[in-house]
Amino acid sequence: MDWKTSKRLLPLSLFYNANVAFALASLKGVNIPMYIALKRLTPLAVLIVGLFLGKSKPSSQVTLSVLLIALGVIIAALGDFSFDPLGYMLALTSVAFQTAYLVLVERSALEDGLSSIELMLYNSILSLPFLLLLVFGIKELPFAGLLLLQKMQGFNFLLLFVFSLIMGIVLNYTMFLCTSVNSALTTTIVGVLKGVGTTTLGFLVLGGVKVHALNVTGLTINTCGGIWYSLAKYNQKQKRKIVKQEDEQEPASKWSS
């Protein structure tokens, strides 16, 4: 652990915890499918922030695919009969915080040269003081501790509890890895495609959500935008490989001649 690095990564940890807090709070007023749909506005926010930070302008296909994703979110939201203004506001605030910490993860990986595991370690340790203050501040510890001890006596709960911890570790690691290796925008687009499955399960498994034609239409448009983005980024990568190979072959051909 390095003190200077810790100070630089402190905002990242703050945004990360704020994103989680606002996301959980929004679920009290927003159903799972619409929550996922609102979170899919993150790619558009990341794209806008990247332009303000002076990143290279994305290709027209990337821009159009992200706009298509956002259009799908708006159409899906129009079919939400259980509209809760506070829940929507909390979810959109979570989008802003998620955008901020993903951009910071990308910059930290580039500027500080930190690996995914190092970023996750710093984020976890820096998160502990804020989470402890929150637990003591809302007086959750006595109640939650007692309830946890009671539940631990059941094997099924213990198994699911350990499994959820492992999944949380894997999720955070892969998220930091994807953002470090690719970009913040790519991570959010992958999240959009993942959200398709979550939204579908939310409709079918959880119940209490009325399926509307606008929801299905918005989800379909959203998915098409995610696939379009993936294809556009893949084509860009293939073009870079071809250009790199040509640049490497050119000096060799000159030398042989």
Side-chain angles (χ1 to χ4, degrees):
M1 295 290 292
D2 179 71
W3 179 245
K4 289 183 179 179
T5 306
S6 299
K7 286 197 294 184
R8 283 200 300 271
L9 294 180
L10 185 61
L12 185 151
S13 183
L14 284 170
F15 288 134
Y16 175 85
N17 287 284
N19 165 52
V20 173
F22 277 89
L24 291 175
S26 69
L27 287 172
K28 292 182 179 180
V30 180
N31 58 60
I32 292 290
M34 282 316 306
Y35 165 77
I36 297 296
L38 288 169
K39 291 288 280 185
R40 289 196 190 111
L41 288 172
T42 309
L44 181 60
V46 170
L47 189 67
I48 294 170
V49 171
L51 292 174
F52 278 108
L53 292 177
K55 290 186 66 176
S56 58
K57 187 179 179 181
S59 67
S60 57
Q61 287 202 32
V62 170
T63 303
L64 289 173
S65 64
V66 172
L67 290 175
L68 190 64
I69 289 170
L71 177 63
V73 174
I74 295 170
I75 293 174
L78 292 174
D80 185 15
F81 294 110
S82 57
F83 180 77
D84 183 352
L86 179 60
Y88 269 65
M89 185 185 72
L90 292 172
L92 291 174
T93 306
S94 173
V95 168
F97 283 126
Q98 184 179 12
T99 301
Y101 91 78
L102 283 175
V103 171
L104 286 175
V105 167
E106 183 181 353
R107 291 184 65 181
S108 299
L110 292 173
E111 295 175 4
D112 298 327
L114 297 173
S115 67
S116 302
I117 293 179
E118 287 172 327
L119 282 170
M120 193 165 68
L121 174 66
Y122 274 102
N123 183 60
S124 299
I125 292 176
L126 292 172
S127 296
L128 284 176
F130 303 111
L131 296 176
L132 288 173
L133 283 173
L134 183 62
V135 167
F136 284 110
I138 62 177
K139 300 179 181 179
E140 183 184 289
L141 188 60
F143 169 76
L146 182 62
L147 184 63
L148 188 61
L149 287 174
Q150 292 174 353
K151 293 286 186 181
M152 282 290 190
Q153 296 175 5
F155 176 75
N156 289 339
F157 174 80
L158 186 62
L159 183 65
L160 290 173
F161 183 70
V162 173
F163 190 56
S164 67
L165 289 175
I166 295 172
M167 285 193 296
I169 293 170
V170 174
L171 172 63
N172 279 326
Y173 172 71
T174 52
M175 182 190 67
F176 282 120
L177 180 64
C178 181
T179 308
S180 302
V181 174
N182 301 296
S183 67
L185 184 58
T186 300
T187 302
T188 57
I189 297 295
V190 173
V192 165
L193 298 176
K194 176 267 302 175
V196 173
T198 310
T199 304
T200 307
L201 287 174
F203 277 122
L204 300 176
V205 178
L206 298 179
V209 182
K210 294 181 180 179
V211 180
H212 192 274
L214 286 174
N215 287 118
V216 178
T217 304
L219 181 62
T220 304
I221 293 173
N222 193 277
T223 307
C224 291
I227 295 171
W228 187 7
Y229 173 86
S230 301
L231 290 172
K233 294 297 285 186
Y234 175 77
N235 290 331
Q236 281 184 3
K237 193 173 183 180
Q238 292 299 109
K239 287 179 180 178
R240 288 196 196 103
K241 281 184 179 179
I242 294 172
V243 171
K244 187 178 180 181
Q245 289 175 356
E246 290 176 351
D247 291 341
E248 289 175 351
Q249 291 174 359
E250 189 174 346
S253 61
K254 286 182 178 179
W255 176 260
S256 60
S257 60

